[in-house]
Amino acid sequence: MSKVRVAGFGVSLDGFGAGIEQSLEDPLGKRGPEIFQWFFHTKTFCSMHGKEGGTTGDVDDMFAQRSMENFGAFILGRNMFGPVRGPWPDDSWKGWWGDDPPYHAPTFVLTHYEREPLVMEGGTTFHFVMGGIEEALVLAKKAAGSKDVRIGGGVDTVRQYLRAGLIDSLHIASVPVLLGQGELLFDGLDLHALGFSITERQTSEYATHLVLEK
């Protein structure tokens, strides 16, 4: 049976999943890249960006690979797609990732403003959904078929799906970094009451990988 999953989500030791002041220059917010150091050195990351090299066979690359496997559709928040706020001024912004985004599947972007679907290279089509998280999930599940749906972020989008009880599996990479400020992932959420327990834990030089499932 297909699942709704969060995978490869970096979180600082003090609970932040993104830094402050996201912008064109700081897509993950100020200091946000520090919580993804576990990912940047992997072969999976390098391959996604058309580069050679990267570590392979280690804990980080294993979880990086798993974070992109068996997904038939993705859901992103508006901020995860880009820094543009308010009504779309035009169709010029096409995401952070260039002409060939790493999703290679239908990708549903939560927004309050209408925009036509955006067809990219490699099989990614961005669909802009104004009906909220549940409508986006219905569309994503239909598009994914027997494969899983990944809630790709950002922090607020993951929190909304957690609060609604719509996530089956959550992989976080707990990184030994103190951001001090940013977007808290679990603030006000009772994961135990939501039915989650830790089913897997592995540690690397860069992070402790935790899988929580219902």
Side-chain angles (χ1 to χ4, degrees):
M1 180 179 295
S2 64
K3 293 183 177 182
V4 180
R5 296 164 51 200
V6 175
F9 208 91
V11 181
S12 69
L13 195 61
D14 46 355
F16 296 102
I20 60 171
E21 299 177 15
Q22 182 203 39
S23 66
L24 190 61
E25 293 74 26
D26 294 299
L28 299 172
K30 294 186 181 302
R31 296 189 60 205
E34 293 180 37
I35 61 178
F36 286 95
Q37 293 304 313
W38 71 271
F39 184 45
F40 295 149
H41 69 90
T42 65
K43 181 177 177 62
T44 299
F45 176 81
C46 292
S47 296
M48 286 170 59
H49 293 268
K51 300 178 181 178
E52 298 292 330
T55 61
T56 182
D58 59 358
V59 170
D60 293 326
D61 191 56
M62 179 190 73
F63 276 100
Q65 286 183 37
R66 285 168 53 176
S67 73
M68 295 303 292
E69 287 179 346
N70 197 45
F71 290 108
F74 294 78
I75 296 175
L76 308 179
R78 170 82 181 259
N79 293 358
M80 186 74 177
F81 178 71
V84 183
R85 302 293 184 264
W88 301 99
D90 50 44
D91 293 334
S92 60
W93 179 260
K94 298 182 180 181
W96 304 102
W97 309 277
D99 294 330
D100 185 6
Y103 303 105
H104 303 156
T107 301
F108 299 85
V109 179
L110 300 168
T111 180
H112 296 296
Y113 301 95
E114 186 174 3
R115 181 172 172 176
E116 291 298 311
L118 177 61
V119 179
M120 306 293 287
E121 295 177 9
T124 302
T125 297
F126 292 111
H127 301 271
F128 300 90
V129 181
M130 296 189 296
I133 63 170
E134 293 189 2
E135 179 182 327
L137 187 55
V138 168
L139 294 171
K141 282 185 173 181
K142 183 177 180 180
S146 62
K147 292 186 176 182
D148 295 340
V149 174
R150 177 173 168 180
I151 310 300
V155 173
D156 184 61
T157 297
V158 172
R159 287 174 53 80
Q160 287 184 60
Y161 278 99
L162 283 171
R163 278 197 302 267
L166 297 173
I167 290 175
D168 302 307
S169 175
L170 174 68
H171 160 230
I172 62 171
S174 178
V175 180
V177 168
L178 297 173
L179 285 190
Q181 55 185 332
E183 296 184 52
L184 286 166
L185 181 58
F186 297 129
D187 188 38
L189 294 174
D190 186 338
L191 295 182
H192 179 73
L194 289 169
F196 287 99
S197 60
I198 297 173
T199 59
E200 188 175 357
R201 177 175 65 86
Q202 295 196 51
T203 301
S204 74
E205 176 186 351
Y206 296 92
T208 297
H209 296 273
L210 299 163
V211 179
L212 296 85
E213 296 181 300
K214 290 184 176 179

